[in-house]
Amino acid sequence: MHPTPEHAAPEDAQTRRDIAPVICYPTDALPAPDLPAYRAARGNWDKIADLRVRPREALAFDVPAGHFFRIASVEGPQVGDLNLFSADLSERFYSGKTRALHGTHLSRGDRLWSGFPTMRPLATITEDTLDWYGIDAYGGAVHDVIGTRCDPYTHALLSDGGQYHHCCHSNLTRALAEARDLPLHEAEALVHDVLNVFMCTGFTRDTGQYFMKASPVRPGDYLEFFAETDLLGVLSACPGAIVRPSTAQTRRPAIRWAWKSTARNQRPKAGRRPRPTPTTAATGFNGSRSARRRLPRGPAVRSRCRESRHRRRAARRGYPLPRSRCASRKMPSVRPRGSRA
């Protein structure tokens, strides 16, 4: 937000404001993706997987290099928060640099870049059925790399210590830990800023604040990717970004209201196939499984409230339990490491 000025403007203030901007990272020298080759490869392919993300949960999926995958809307305007890793977890999607190169919102022909020192495309967006939306009168667009992901720490900060652990950060952490058999605290350190698939966002022009509005996504819309290397994707069905198109009001995260997202993994069958971008040496976390997951096992929770079944499942798996709405019984909780009691 921009505070009310406390200092007088100089005489040439307007002249300074009128200076034309310069693009920080001109992309003319970037190798353009060969979209005709990608489309030719799609002409004769096989669907090898069709996975659905449960409401308020996340799902991990592996995509071999040279394969396509789609994130599709199944029933309505649901937003998906996407993390991408190399299969061995040595590289992660770098949303900040991707934003600097391609802009605040991604679409067909843009690439999802990894961090330093590899700095290479992990995936290329090959199709976007929402490319017609463009930028609206409010400055909003879809598929942003602005928002980081909803998380329990910000929620606690803004709600006077409130606890909610079905946000995207928690969902992604649990799904990654399960997919690679990691302790939760190790998995949490690997979760990174996301690509907000289908989310319609922008910045307010008067205060510069991040906003969201009703997503234009319809059942059947999808965002399609080509895996430039062996990938692990983790997709969360965001509980806080389901917006009613009629009222543009965010609905509370409830299972009966949440839509599902689909990750489709498709393999070209024959013909001209795009060649993955050559890899470079990578350093950093190597995905070792030597540290086995050791999760606390809470007691079975048998409450008569409506959420008891979901809480019992969370207790069996050792996941952090959300604050119970049933006042008749105090529920056990598992706090994330480093949080205050």
Side-chain angles (χ1 to χ4, degrees):
M1 298 179 64
H2 300 284
T4 302
E6 296 180 349
H7 303 278
E11 295 181 357
D12 61 345
Q14 192 56 45
T15 302
R16 294 174 181 272
R17 294 190 185 101
D18 291 339
I19 296 175
V22 176
I23 300 299
C24 294
Y25 294 98
T27 56
D28 299 339
L30 274 181
D34 190 354
L35 291 178
Y38 291 120
R39 288 172 174 166
R42 294 183 316 190
N44 192 16
W45 60 4
D46 289 326
K47 182 190 291 188
I48 60 175
D50 194 339
L51 311 173
R52 296 203 176 189
V53 184
R54 297 178 57 189
R56 301 194 309 165
E57 296 292 347
L59 179 72
F61 55 95
D62 288 280
V63 186
H67 287 54
F68 293 86
F69 68 97
R70 289 179 175 179
I71 299 175
S73 170
V74 179
E75 299 175 5
Q78 169 68 45
V79 169
D81 284 40
L82 178 66
N83 265 192
L84 279 185
F85 305 83
S86 59
D88 62 357
L89 302 183
S90 63
E91 298 175 78
R92 293 179 283 174
F93 169 51
Y94 188 0
S95 70
K97 188 58 68 178
T98 300
R99 179 174 62 249
L101 291 172
H102 298 303
T104 57
H105 298 78
L106 305 184
S107 189
R108 183 185 64 254
D110 292 332
R111 287 172 158 165
L112 279 67
W113 295 84
S114 67
F116 306 143
T118 53
M119 188 58 186
R120 61 166 176 165
L122 296 174
T124 300
I125 299 177
T126 54
E127 199 67 59
D128 176 13
T129 61
L130 290 174
D131 57 3
W132 56 267
Y133 190 85
I135 302 176
D136 62 31
Y138 300 95
V142 293
H143 313 314
D144 80 77
V145 281
I146 308 172
T148 56
R149 62 199 173 276
C150 54
D151 66 272
Y153 306 103
T154 306
H155 176 77
L157 179 66
L158 300 178
S159 63
D160 193 22
Q163 296 294 310
Y164 184 74
H165 294 285
H166 282 282
C167 50
C168 288
H169 178 84
S170 302
N171 295 342
L172 294 169
T173 298
R174 290 191 292 262
L176 176 60
E178 184 174 355
R180 289 297 186 262
D181 198 19
L182 297 173
L184 283 174
H185 70 277
E186 288 187 15
E188 182 178 24
L190 296 173
V191 170
H192 49 276
D193 290 350
V194 300
L195 167 61
N196 283 311
V197 181
F198 303 141
M199 194 166 184
C200 187
T201 61
F203 292 107
T204 58
R205 295 178 180 177
D206 53 347
T207 63
Q209 290 177 286
Y210 181 51
F211 72 78
M212 69 177 180
K213 55 179 295 189
S215 174
V217 67
R218 305 152 297 177
D221 281 329
Y222 61 85
L223 192 63
E224 181 184 273
F225 304 81
F226 176 80
E228 302 284 357
T229 186
D230 292 338
L231 293 177
L232 171 67
V234 189
L235 181 68
S236 171
C238 183
I242 310 166
V243 182
R244 298 178 189 267
S246 59
T247 62
Q249 294 297 317
T250 304
R251 293 189 246 180
R252 290 186 178 182
I255 289 179
R256 63 180 180 276
W257 287 341
W259 305 107
K260 301 174 182 177
S261 299
T262 301
R264 294 193 181 110
N265 187 350
Q266 298 182 310
R267 172 184 58 204
K269 205 171 187 179
R272 186 183 177 192
R273 300 187 183 184
R275 304 179 68 178
T277 303
T279 63
T280 57
T283 59
F285 181 71
N286 62 6
S288 172
R289 298 190 182 187
S290 58
R292 308 296 292 182
R293 180 171 51 174
R294 295 179 293 275
L295 302 180
R297 297 292 179 182
V301 179
R302 300 189 179 278
S303 171
R304 294 181 180 179
C305 64
R306 290 184 302 173
E307 57 195 66
S308 61
R309 179 167 59 89
H310 307 289
R311 295 181 63 80
R312 287 200 301 272
R313 183 183 296 115
R316 287 197 302 270
R317 296 179 180 178
Y319 296 162
L321 299 176
R323 178 175 294 176
S324 174
R325 297 177 184 173
C326 178
S328 62
R329 181 169 182 172
K330 184 178 180 181
M331 297 296 178
S333 62
V334 179
R335 295 185 177 272
R337 176 170 296 192
S339 64
R340 295 184 177 180

